[in-house]
Amino acid sequence: MEQKQLSPGLLLDVKGNLNECGYSNQLIKEYCRNDIKASKFRIKEWDYYYIGDSEFGIALTIADNSYMAMVSVSVLDFVNKTHITKSPMKWFTFGKWNIPSTSANGDLVRESKGFSMKFFNDNGNRHLVCSMKNVSKGKDFSCDVFLNQTNNNSMVIATPFNKKKHFYYNQKINLLSATGWFSYGDIKHEFIDSAYGVLDWGRGVWTYSNTW
């Protein structure tokens, strides 16, 4: 399949293969989990947000990878050069987490004992409200962050694997202006004018063995 600029339409054909592979600056191909024809164990869907400034960064993830799903929180301290991550997992979810089929709108909420992850998205106006108990050494995490898009363009790729019915559809929205705050243990940090975020939006069917 020749790499080219994507045109609007369905991402997958009736056999579950990419109608086109290539790139775009908008999410113009329509993804639908029900169009996938490969093994349900191979389907991966995630929303990953990073928000940061010169002092701190936080990463927030909700992912349903079919045989396992997870929420994840990372805190990066650039001044002291430390980082910590906690990623509670659930097994054999197979799409039950109902991750939205588009990045344009739709809320994604996961709550369980020890964490609450809420990604609200009203036509691109994003509000992330998250908390997690005992991320490390008894320190709890919470955040309340607003993200607004400053650029209408993003980076979109539709990539085939060397196996039929396997593909990776990805969008990265950069330069999201960020306001809000996070707390971790005795740290409370506000994101103001110098803070930005990125959304890494991924959907696809991955082979068992691959190279990133």
Side-chain angles (χ1 to χ4, degrees):
M1 298 175 72
E2 180 186 359
Q3 177 178 309
K4 60 181 180 179
Q5 189 162 354
L6 297 170
S7 57
L10 296 176
L11 179 69
L12 303 178
D13 64 19
V14 294
K15 296 182 178 180
N17 297 308
L18 287 174
N19 276 311
E20 292 180 296
C21 66
Y23 63 93
S24 176
N25 60 16
Q26 301 290 332
L27 200 72
I28 59 175
K29 287 294 187 186
E30 298 175 31
Y31 167 82
C32 178
R33 186 186 180 100
N34 291 335
D35 293 341
I36 293 172
K37 307 302 181 184
S39 168
K40 63 181 182 179
F41 283 89
R42 301 267 71 86
I43 302 172
K44 299 183 185 296
E45 301 176 319
W46 70 78
D47 284 14
Y48 165 97
Y49 287 96
Y50 170 82
I51 304 99
D53 55 22
S54 61
E55 296 181 65
F56 290 96
I58 59 173
L60 310 167
T61 309
I62 300 177
D64 187 337
N65 294 329
S66 297
Y67 67 91
M68 60 79 69
M70 70 173 188
V71 300
S72 183
V73 166
S74 297
V75 179
L76 299 89
D77 184 336
F78 301 128
V79 176
N80 296 302
K81 297 180 174 59
T82 63
H83 66 88
I84 192 71
T85 296
K86 184 176 182 180
S87 304
M89 296 182 184
K90 303 288 184 181
W91 298 103
F92 306 116
T93 47
F94 296 116
K96 294 177 184 177
W97 280 22
N98 297 317
I99 293 184
S101 61
T102 176
S103 65
N105 53 63
D107 300 335
L108 180 50
V109 176
R110 299 307 310 171
E111 294 183 290
S112 187
K113 184 178 180 180
F115 67 80
S116 173
M117 305 284 282
K118 300 177 181 179
F119 298 170
F120 300 115
N121 180 9
D122 182 12
N123 295 316
N125 297 310
R126 304 171 194 276
H127 184 196
L128 315 180
V129 184
C130 305
S131 63
M132 187 175 292
K133 297 288 188 181
N134 191 23
V135 174
S136 178
K137 298 179 181 179
K139 297 179 181 179
D140 298 338
F141 170 90
S142 60
C143 74
D144 192 333
V145 177
F146 292 89
L147 298 171
N148 292 289
Q149 202 162 331
T150 63
N151 191 326
N152 290 328
N153 293 326
S154 62
M155 298 185 291
V156 177
I157 56 169
T159 304
F161 286 96
N162 191 26
K163 185 176 182 179
K164 290 183 178 181
K165 304 175 184 178
H166 290 64
F167 66 92
Y168 177 38
Y169 192 36
N170 177 245
Q171 181 184 35
K172 290 181 172 63
I173 303 177
N174 291 300
L175 294 173
L176 297 168
S177 64
T179 57
W181 57 269
F182 83 89
S183 65
Y184 171 61
D186 58 359
I187 297 171
K188 183 166 184 179
H189 182 73
E190 290 193 26
F191 292 118
I192 50 176
D193 294 341
S194 60
Y196 286 92
V198 60
L199 168 62
D200 179 20
W201 182 96
R203 308 289 187 269
V205 180
W206 288 54
T207 57
Y208 179 78
S209 178
N210 52 73
T211 300
W212 185 258

